[in-house]
Amino acid sequence: MYDKITPPTTGAKITFKNGEPVVPENPIIPFIQGDGTGIDIWPATEKVLDAAVAKAYKGKRKISWFRVYAGDEACDLYGTYQYLPQDTLTAIEEYGVAIKGPLTTPVGGGIRSLNVALRQIFDLYSCVRPCRYYAGTPSPHKTPEKLDVIIYRENTEDIYLGIEWKQGSEIGDRLIKFLNEELIPATPEHGKKQIPLDAGIGIKPISKTGSQRLVRRAIKHALLLPKNKQQVTLVHKGNIMKYTEGAFRDWGYELATTEFRNETVTERESWILGNKEKNANLSSEENARMIDPGFDSLTPEKKAQIVKEVETVLNTIWESHGNGKWKEKIMVNDRIADSIFQQIQTRPDEYSILATMNLNGDYLSDAAAAIVGGLGMGPGANIGDSCAIFEATHGTAPKHAGLDKINPGSVILSGVMMLEFMGWQEAADLVKKGLGDAIANSQVTYDLARLMEPPVEPLKCSEFADAIIKHFG
Ligand SMILES: NC(=O)C1=CN([C@@H]2O[C@H](COP(=O)(O)OP(=O)(O)OC[C@H]3O[C@@H](n4cnc5c(N)ncnc54)[C@H](OP(=O)(O)O)[C@@H]3O)[C@@H](O)[C@H]2O)C=CC1
Ligand SMILES: O=C(O)CCC(=O)C(=O)O
Ligand SMILES: [Mg+2]
């Protein structure tokens, strides 16, 4: 079945039932070490996860690691250009849950991202990236402890589908000609716009199915959070990209107010209900004026539309959500993408789950990780209905590769997410305690050491792993 790899002789497969993993006591878990700093981070991660499982379950549970290959080391083993060998895909498909280090993607030309390919091949449509603060972590931000968000990033479409044409390519030029001469003139709203003839061109597909399955997972996650964190913010640039990013917002609200009608309230609904609760005699028009500050300068049609919105909300959900009941529901709101970058800095504690499209989520997850200490503290998971691959937010950080220097925290915390996904909470808790206590005792790698005041002597990557294990208690 495999060409160049052999699965461990002990252990069993994780399977999936109704989208949930069914985990044996001794699961076989494929791992990809990764390019660049993967060589430092992976051994540290494996050591910490194994120690936590051993301590938590005293031999009753154990992970059988199965080394599989991607990226540069796959080419070394399988031959030139064999960046993502079939062996690796077969192993991940067979064993269902995997973990990986970062993989290099060249800029401009060359191969397309192996990381993105894995997400698309296994339909891992939700990229989950929690950004929370560990006490004692130095941060460039004054109040990093106020940020506790989980980014739910759509992981399979948007411009990451990779359908684009190079400037000057034969098909790219044909496409531009077709758009300029036929499709744009046939679309009155585009007027006399034309695409420059020397443009490269890329396609940005955002589907209703892709958007809604992502938002569905985000809302289901919000249902499991404490009441004060039960909020989902739809992040988009829908003012500019109306039919892609704007549609993402609209489909998100549509899903929330149909499939999760009893569990959710939208921000606008909460305003309408709240206004009515404060003044039972408030007319629908007055209510409309209060929810829309520019109401009086709107066209009569637009005004009528907002009044109708008020009436529809009061007629359909007053019974289930009125008289303050909406305060017990999951709040679904939306923010424009550029604004959310400043909001997570100026009002960090007002946000919880941020549901995003692929590109916005990519940007936002690095920015949010920076607030809580940097990319060394940014874990992640790519989750689908029958497979999950855990990996950090960061890349290969090539200039630090092989120096036993880099912070393995992000891949270790991705391992924590994997243990939690498997239901091995006791082991996950040990790692979180060990990592938190190591940081609180200023036992940190260079990235955190340089931010500490006064500065501390940094630990090596491998020493940080040992410190985490010592702090299991
Ligand atoms: N999922 C994946 O596998 C991903 C792969 N990539 C790929 O990685 C390659 C390199 O990308 P690049 O833009 O340099 O981004 P990286 O995320 O690899 O690194 C950028 C900088 O972030 C900091 N950093 C990254 N990882 C850590 C860590 N574990 N601990 C502490 N600091 C860290 C370092 O900053 P400093 O030097 O200031 O300390 C580093 O120089 C590219 O080929 C890119 O495509 C990128 C993102 C995700
Ligand atoms: O695949 C890559 O090289 C980059 C991916 C990335 O930045 C991410 O997933 O956060
Ligand atoms: Mg990224």
Side-chain angles (χ1 to χ4, degrees):
M1 183 176 183
Y2 293 103
D3 179 15
K4 291 187 190 292
I5 51 177
T6 312
T9 47
T10 57
K13 286 178 201 173
I14 295 176
T15 53
F16 281 77
K17 197 171 169 198
N18 302 326
E20 297 298 326
V22 180
V23 183
E25 302 291 48
N26 181 199
I28 294 176
I29 298 189
F31 72 92
I32 295 167
Q33 175 177 278
D35 297 328
T37 47
I39 197 171
D40 309 291
I41 291 175
W42 177 255
T45 301
E46 188 178 316
K47 191 172 181 183
V48 170
L49 298 183
D50 280 347
V53 170
K55 187 168 170 79
Y57 307 116
K58 304 189 169 40
K60 198 170 150 271
R61 287 177 168 169
K62 187 176 187 309
I63 295 172
S64 286
W65 298 108
F66 179 13
R67 184 166 188 182
V68 302
Y69 296 82
D72 292 340
E73 55 170 15
C75 298
D76 293 343
L77 184 64
Y78 289 83
T80 319
Y81 302 129
Q82 297 299 310
Y83 287 98
L84 196 52
Q86 185 56 47
D87 272 359
T88 300
L89 301 180
T90 306
I92 295 174
E93 176 155 28
E94 188 173 3
Y95 293 101
V97 171
I99 183 165
K100 64 177 277 296
L103 295 167
T104 305
T105 314
V107 176
I111 56 160
R112 289 201 176 267
S113 167
L114 305 170
N115 309 300
V116 172
L118 283 166
R119 298 166 196 166
Q120 289 171 346
I121 290 167
F122 294 106
D123 201 21
L124 307 174
Y125 58 87
S126 42
C127 176
V128 186
R129 292 180 166 176
C131 292
R132 62 159 282 213
Y133 180 72
Y134 281 84
T137 313
S139 159
H141 202 273
K142 275 189 185 164
T143 53
E145 68 284 355
K146 287 190 179 168
L147 188 76
D148 182 7
V149 297
I150 305 169
I151 294 167
Y152 260 79
R153 164 192 178 193
E154 200 292 322
N155 218 13
T156 60
E157 48 185 48
D158 201 342
I159 53 169
Y160 289 69
L161 202 57
I163 298 185
E164 53 176 1
W165 289 272
K166 197 174 174 173
Q167 181 270 323
S169 62
E170 196 241 316
I171 295 185
D173 285 352
R174 268 169 55 199
L175 179 61
I176 291 173
K177 196 166 170 324
F178 181 49
L179 287 163
N180 282 344
E181 292 176 9
E182 295 193 41
L183 300 189
I184 296 174
T187 314
E189 72 173 278
H190 295 325
K192 293 192 180 313
K193 286 177 193 162
Q194 290 281 275
I195 296 168
L197 295 176
D198 62 349
I201 197 154
I203 303 281
K204 177 186 175 72
I206 302 289
S207 74
K208 182 172 181 176
T209 306
S211 302
Q212 291 197 332
R213 66 180 181 169
L214 183 271
V215 175
R216 185 178 293 113
R217 270 198 180 264
I219 293 177
K220 284 187 175 169
H221 193 140
L223 280 167
L224 304 174
L225 296 178
K227 276 277 172 242
N228 67 335
K229 296 296 286 182
Q230 291 200 341
Q231 180 182 298
V232 174
T233 301
L234 306 165
V235 177
H236 59 87
K237 189 74 183 169
N239 46 343
I240 303 298
M241 291 165 273
K242 296 175 191 299
Y243 306 137
T244 50
E245 306 235 348
F248 173 83
R249 180 198 70 160
D250 294 346
W251 291 324
Y253 278 131
E254 183 193 280
L255 181 98
T257 55
T258 51
E259 264 184 50
F260 297 94
R261 180 63 283 183
N262 201 39
E263 291 87 5
T264 63
V265 65
T266 70
E267 193 167 43
R268 275 172 83 84
E269 288 169 350
S270 76
W271 295 338
I272 295 168
L273 295 166
N275 291 339
K276 189 75 180 170
E277 283 160 15
K278 281 190 205 118
N279 177 2
N281 298 321
L282 193 71
S283 73
S284 297
E285 184 165 325
E286 273 309 311
N287 204 329
R289 188 168 282 112
M290 289 165 79
I291 62 166
D292 220 305
F295 186 80
D296 286 325
S297 47
L298 295 174
T299 60
E301 293 74 28
K302 190 72 191 151
K303 280 185 186 163
Q305 201 183 321
I306 299 173
V307 171
K308 186 150 187 271
E309 178 191 347
V310 169
E311 285 168 352
T312 307
V313 168
L314 294 175
N315 289 338
T316 55
I317 62 167
W318 177 259
E319 191 80 5
S320 53
H321 292 57
N323 288 323
K325 282 185 249 168
W326 58 270
K327 291 179 188 159
E328 299 300 309
K329 314 278 181 192
I330 296 175
M331 171 68 75
V332 181
N333 57 16
D334 73 280
R335 296 289 180 267
I336 294 180
D338 41 3
S339 159
I340 198 71
F341 278 85
Q342 60 82 25
Q343 291 274 293
I344 59 168
Q345 300 190 57
T346 54
R347 299 164 173 259
D349 45 359
E350 289 183 20
Y351 294 94
S352 177
I353 292 185
L354 303 171
T356 77
M357 281 154 285
N358 212 334
L359 179 61
N360 292 335
D362 193 355
Y363 294 157
L364 195 57
S365 48
D366 273 38
I371 294 176
V372 294
L375 281 172
M377 299 298 290
N382 304 291
I383 299 184
D385 291 331
S386 56
C387 182
I389 302 180
F390 294 79
E391 66 174 333
T393 293
H394 63 69
T396 56
K399 68 179 173 186
H400 303 298
L403 303 177
D404 193 15
K405 170 185 175 188
I406 200 81
N407 185 353
S410 41
V411 181
I412 291 174
L413 287 169
S414 306
V416 166
M417 290 178 76
M418 184 180 80
L419 293 171
E420 288 176 338
F421 183 75
M422 290 158 55
W424 292 17
Q425 193 62 48
E426 301 79 3
D429 288 344
L430 275 180
V431 182
K432 283 193 278 189
K433 177 186 179 304
L435 184 125
D437 287 358
I439 294 173
N441 282 284
S442 303
Q443 292 172 297
V444 293
T445 44
Y446 84 98
D447 52 322
L448 302 183
R450 73 184 167 190
L451 288 173
M452 283 192 167
E453 282 175 16
V456 298
E457 198 53 40
L459 297 187
K460 292 179 182 172
C461 172
S462 55
E463 290 170 342
F464 183 52
D466 292 336
I468 294 173
I469 294 168
K470 279 206 187 94
H471 285 289
F472 283 171

Tab-separated table of all heavy atoms in Angstrom, residues 41 100-105 115 119 375-376 391-400 406-407 410 446-447 450, ligand 1:
chain	number	residue	atom	x	y	z
A	41	ILE	N	11.432	22.371	15.745
A	41	ILE	CA	10.152	22.408	16.461
A	41	ILE	C	9.555	21.027	16.648
A	41	ILE	O	9.010	20.717	17.701
A	41	ILE	CB	9.141	23.300	15.697
A	41	ILE	CG1	9.574	24.767	15.783
A	41	ILE	CG2	7.741	23.143	16.244
A	41	ILE	CD1	8.716	25.710	14.953
A	100	LYS	N	1.366	18.694	11.575
A	100	LYS	CA	2.469	19.028	10.678
A	100	LYS	C	3.225	20.271	11.114
A	100	LYS	O	2.657	21.167	11.749
A	100	LYS	CB	1.973	19.203	9.236
A	100	LYS	CG	1.011	20.360	9.031
A	100	LYS	CD	0.618	20.503	7.572
A	100	LYS	CE	1.603	21.263	6.741
A	100	LYS	NZ	1.782	22.677	7.115
A	101	GLY	N	4.481	20.327	10.720
A	101	GLY	CA	5.262	21.543	10.812
A	101	GLY	C	5.006	22.377	9.562
A	101	GLY	O	4.259	21.968	8.666
A	102	PRO	N	5.640	23.547	9.465
A	102	PRO	CA	5.391	24.427	8.324
A	102	PRO	C	6.061	23.928	7.048
A	102	PRO	O	7.056	23.213	7.105
A	102	PRO	CB	6.029	25.743	8.776
A	102	PRO	CG	7.107	25.330	9.734
A	102	PRO	CD	6.608	24.107	10.434
A	103	LEU	N	5.508	24.320	5.912
A	103	LEU	CA	6.091	23.952	4.616
A	103	LEU	C	6.294	25.210	3.773
A	103	LEU	O	5.440	26.101	3.761
A	103	LEU	CB	5.166	22.968	3.894
A	103	LEU	CG	5.009	21.605	4.591
A	103	LEU	CD1	3.835	20.824	4.000
A	103	LEU	CD2	6.303	20.788	4.480
A	104	THR	N	7.412	25.237	3.080
A	104	THR	CA	7.785	26.425	2.287
A	104	THR	C	6.937	26.559	1.022
A	104	THR	O	6.673	25.557	0.342
A	104	THR	CB	9.255	26.283	1.827
A	104	THR	OG1	10.056	26.079	2.977
A	104	THR	CG2	9.736	27.508	1.070
A	105	THR	N	6.560	27.797	0.701
A	105	THR	CA	5.943	28.084	-0.600
A	105	THR	C	6.713	29.226	-1.251
A	105	THR	O	6.800	30.309	-0.663
A	105	THR	CB	4.471	28.544	-0.436
A	105	THR	OG1	3.811	27.684	0.482
A	105	THR	CG2	3.745	28.539	-1.760
A	115	ASN	N	0.638	23.496	1.859
A	115	ASN	CA	-0.254	23.648	3.024
A	115	ASN	C	-1.697	23.821	2.558
A	115	ASN	O	-2.613	23.166	3.054
A	115	ASN	CB	0.179	24.872	3.842
A	115	ASN	CG	1.662	24.824	4.142
A	115	ASN	OD1	2.123	23.884	4.768
A	115	ASN	ND2	2.418	25.819	3.665
A	119	ARG	N	-5.195	21.222	2.692
A	119	ARG	CA	-6.517	21.655	3.169
A	119	ARG	C	-7.578	21.374	2.110
A	119	ARG	O	-8.695	20.968	2.435
A	119	ARG	CB	-6.481	23.156	3.499
A	119	ARG	CG	-5.505	23.479	4.610
A	119	ARG	CD	-5.215	24.979	4.722
A	119	ARG	NE	-4.023	25.212	5.529
A	119	ARG	CZ	-3.367	26.364	5.583
A	119	ARG	NH1	-3.797	27.400	4.896
A	119	ARG	NH2	-2.299	26.498	6.333
A	375	LEU	N	4.184	35.026	16.807
A	375	LEU	CA	3.832	33.819	16.053
A	375	LEU	C	4.248	32.539	16.763
A	375	LEU	O	3.710	31.466	16.486
A	375	LEU	CB	4.456	33.884	14.661
A	375	LEU	CG	3.688	34.764	13.674
A	375	LEU	CD1	4.468	34.943	12.386
A	375	LEU	CD2	2.316	34.181	13.395
A	376	GLY	N	5.189	32.649	17.683
A	376	GLY	CA	5.575	31.466	18.458
A	376	GLY	C	4.471	30.987	19.388
A	376	GLY	O	4.580	29.926	19.993
A	391	GLU	N	-1.741	22.385	12.721
A	391	GLU	CA	-0.495	23.071	12.350
A	391	GLU	C	-0.528	24.495	12.904
A	391	GLU	O	-1.590	25.061	13.140
A	391	GLU	CB	-0.304	23.120	10.826
A	391	GLU	CG	-1.316	23.964	10.114
A	391	GLU	CD	-1.046	24.136	8.627
A	391	GLU	OE1	0.113	24.065	8.198
A	391	GLU	OE2	-2.028	24.346	7.892
A	392	ALA	N	0.658	25.060	13.091
A	392	ALA	CA	0.751	26.418	13.629
A	392	ALA	C	0.338	27.453	12.594
A	392	ALA	O	0.223	27.156	11.407
A	392	ALA	CB	2.182	26.679	14.076
A	393	THR	N	0.157	28.682	13.067
A	393	THR	CA	-0.168	29.794	12.172
A	393	THR	C	1.052	30.219	11.346
A	393	THR	O	0.923	30.634	10.194
A	393	THR	CB	-0.663	30.988	13.030
A	393	THR	OG1	-1.914	30.624	13.613
A	393	THR	CG2	-0.832	32.260	12.234
A	394	HIS	N	2.236	30.080	11.934
A	394	HIS	CA	3.432	30.629	11.281
A	394	HIS	C	3.988	29.711	10.194
A	394	HIS	O	3.546	28.575	10.009
A	394	HIS	CB	4.523	30.897	12.321
A	394	HIS	CG	5.015	29.660	13.027
A	394	HIS	ND1	5.750	28.687	12.398
A	394	HIS	CD2	4.870	29.264	14.312
A	394	HIS	CE1	6.042	27.735	13.265
A	394	HIS	NE2	5.517	28.053	14.437
A	395	GLY	N	5.009	30.226	9.498
A	395	GLY	CA	5.670	29.468	8.450
A	395	GLY	C	7.000	28.894	8.899
A	395	GLY	O	7.221	28.660	10.098
A	396	THR	N	7.889	28.726	7.929
A	396	THR	CA	9.121	27.975	8.178
A	396	THR	C	10.234	28.805	8.827
A	396	THR	O	11.277	28.261	9.193
A	396	THR	CB	9.663	27.434	6.834
A	396	THR	OG1	9.836	28.556	5.941
A	396	THR	CG2	8.694	26.455	6.196
A	397	ALA	N	10.039	30.130	8.913
A	397	ALA	CA	11.022	31.050	9.516
A	397	ALA	C	12.450	30.622	9.158
A	397	ALA	O	13.271	30.346	10.051
A	397	ALA	CB	10.824	31.108	11.033
A	398	PRO	N	12.787	30.591	7.862
A	398	PRO	CA	14.023	29.937	7.411
A	398	PRO	C	15.303	30.456	8.066
A	398	PRO	O	16.233	29.683	8.286
A	398	PRO	CB	14.043	30.170	5.899
A	398	PRO	CG	13.011	31.201	5.626
A	398	PRO	CD	12.021	31.156	6.738
A	399	LYS	N	15.334	31.757	8.415
A	399	LYS	CA	16.610	32.267	8.942
A	399	LYS	C	16.936	31.678	10.311
A	399	LYS	O	18.066	31.758	10.778
A	399	LYS	CB	16.604	33.802	8.986
A	399	LYS	CG	15.664	34.409	9.996
A	399	LYS	CD	15.761	35.941	9.964
A	399	LYS	CE	14.685	36.532	10.856
A	399	LYS	NZ	14.562	37.946	10.824
A	400	HIS	N	15.948	31.091	10.984
A	400	HIS	CA	16.201	30.497	12.298
A	400	HIS	C	16.352	28.970	12.245
A	400	HIS	O	16.520	28.323	13.279
A	400	HIS	CB	15.053	30.830	13.261
A	400	HIS	CG	14.802	32.300	13.421
A	400	HIS	ND1	15.747	33.160	13.925
A	400	HIS	CD2	13.724	33.070	13.141
A	400	HIS	CE1	15.261	34.402	13.953
A	400	HIS	NE2	14.036	34.374	13.475
A	406	ILE	N	14.248	28.509	17.819
A	406	ILE	CA	12.883	28.999	17.570
A	406	ILE	C	11.926	28.573	18.694
A	406	ILE	O	12.169	27.589	19.399
A	406	ILE	CB	12.392	28.482	16.187
A	406	ILE	CG1	11.244	29.309	15.632
A	406	ILE	CG2	12.026	27.003	16.260
A	406	ILE	CD1	11.704	30.573	14.974
A	407	ASN	N	10.821	29.288	18.822
A	407	ASN	CA	9.801	28.948	19.830
A	407	ASN	C	8.912	27.821	19.291
A	407	ASN	O	8.194	28.018	18.305
A	407	ASN	CB	8.968	30.203	20.118
A	407	ASN	CG	7.970	29.992	21.235
A	407	ASN	OD1	7.798	28.871	21.717
A	407	ASN	ND2	7.314	31.062	21.653
A	410	SER	N	3.941	27.304	19.364
A	410	SER	CA	2.774	27.293	18.486
A	410	SER	C	2.439	25.881	18.000
A	410	SER	O	1.259	25.519	17.907
A	410	SER	CB	3.045	28.211	17.301
A	410	SER	OG	4.386	28.016	16.878
A	446	TYR	N	13.982	32.913	22.503
A	446	TYR	CA	14.480	34.263	22.160
A	446	TYR	C	13.398	35.295	21.889
A	446	TYR	O	13.525	36.479	22.222
A	446	TYR	CB	15.400	34.157	20.932
A	446	TYR	CG	14.618	34.166	19.626
A	446	TYR	CD1	14.472	35.347	18.893
A	446	TYR	CD2	13.979	33.012	19.164
A	446	TYR	CE1	13.716	35.376	17.725
A	446	TYR	CE2	13.224	33.034	18.015
A	446	TYR	CZ	13.092	34.214	17.295
A	446	TYR	OH	12.333	34.240	16.162
A	447	ASP	N	12.316	34.830	21.221
A	447	ASP	CA	11.283	35.769	20.761
A	447	ASP	C	10.586	36.449	21.936
A	447	ASP	O	10.275	37.632	21.891
A	447	ASP	CB	10.255	35.036	19.877
A	447	ASP	CG	9.700	33.790	20.549
A	447	ASP	OD1	10.466	33.082	21.242
A	447	ASP	OD2	8.498	33.507	20.396
A	450	ARG	N	13.345	38.529	24.334
A	450	ARG	CA	13.738	39.887	23.899
A	450	ARG	C	12.683	40.927	24.244
A	450	ARG	O	12.966	42.122	24.277
A	450	ARG	CB	14.059	39.897	22.402
A	450	ARG	CG	12.840	39.776	21.511
A	450	ARG	CD	13.186	39.685	20.033
A	450	ARG	NE	12.018	39.271	19.282
A	450	ARG	CZ	12.031	38.919	18.013
A	450	ARG	NH1	13.142	38.902	17.325
A	450	ARG	NH2	10.919	38.569	17.405
B	1	LIG	N1	1.213	26.694	7.259
B	1	LIG	C1	2.436	26.855	6.819
B	1	LIG	O1	3.185	25.903	6.681
B	1	LIG	C2	2.898	28.222	6.483
B	1	LIG	C3	3.973	28.349	5.632
B	1	LIG	N2	4.464	29.582	5.338
B	1	LIG	C4	5.652	29.625	4.486
B	1	LIG	O2	6.791	29.816	5.318
B	1	LIG	C5	7.817	30.477	4.588
B	1	LIG	C6	8.400	31.627	5.390
B	1	LIG	O3	7.428	32.626	5.547
B	1	LIG	P1	7.664	33.986	6.343
B	1	LIG	O4	6.947	35.035	5.651
B	1	LIG	O5	9.115	34.137	6.661
B	1	LIG	O6	6.837	33.811	7.693
B	1	LIG	P2	7.168	32.942	8.986
B	1	LIG	O7	5.892	32.835	9.722
B	1	LIG	O8	7.832	31.675	8.636
B	1	LIG	O9	8.221	33.799	9.802
B	1	LIG	C7	8.173	35.195	9.915
B	1	LIG	C8	8.782	35.638	11.224
B	1	LIG	O10	7.862	35.322	12.269
B	1	LIG	C9	8.562	34.961	13.441
B	1	LIG	N3	8.289	33.535	13.733
B	1	LIG	C10	7.809	32.577	12.913
B	1	LIG	N4	7.697	31.419	13.549
B	1	LIG	C11	8.102	31.634	14.803
B	1	LIG	C12	8.224	30.815	15.952
B	1	LIG	N5	7.894	29.529	15.946
B	1	LIG	N6	8.724	31.371	17.077
B	1	LIG	C13	9.044	32.671	17.123
B	1	LIG	N7	8.956	33.489	16.075
B	1	LIG	C14	8.487	32.979	14.925
B	1	LIG	C15	10.037	35.180	13.142
B	1	LIG	O11	10.275	36.553	13.452
B	1	LIG	P3	11.686	37.116	13.989
B	1	LIG	O12	12.711	36.698	13.000
B	1	LIG	O13	11.457	38.581	14.068
B	1	LIG	O14	11.919	36.537	15.333
B	1	LIG	C16	10.076	34.945	11.648
B	1	LIG	O15	11.199	35.506	11.042
B	1	LIG	C17	7.177	30.905	3.254
B	1	LIG	O16	7.586	29.993	2.279
B	1	LIG	C18	5.701	30.810	3.516
B	1	LIG	O17	4.981	30.558	2.360
B	1	LIG	C19	3.943	30.722	5.904
B	1	LIG	C20	2.879	30.626	6.755
B	1	LIG	C21	2.237	29.377	7.065
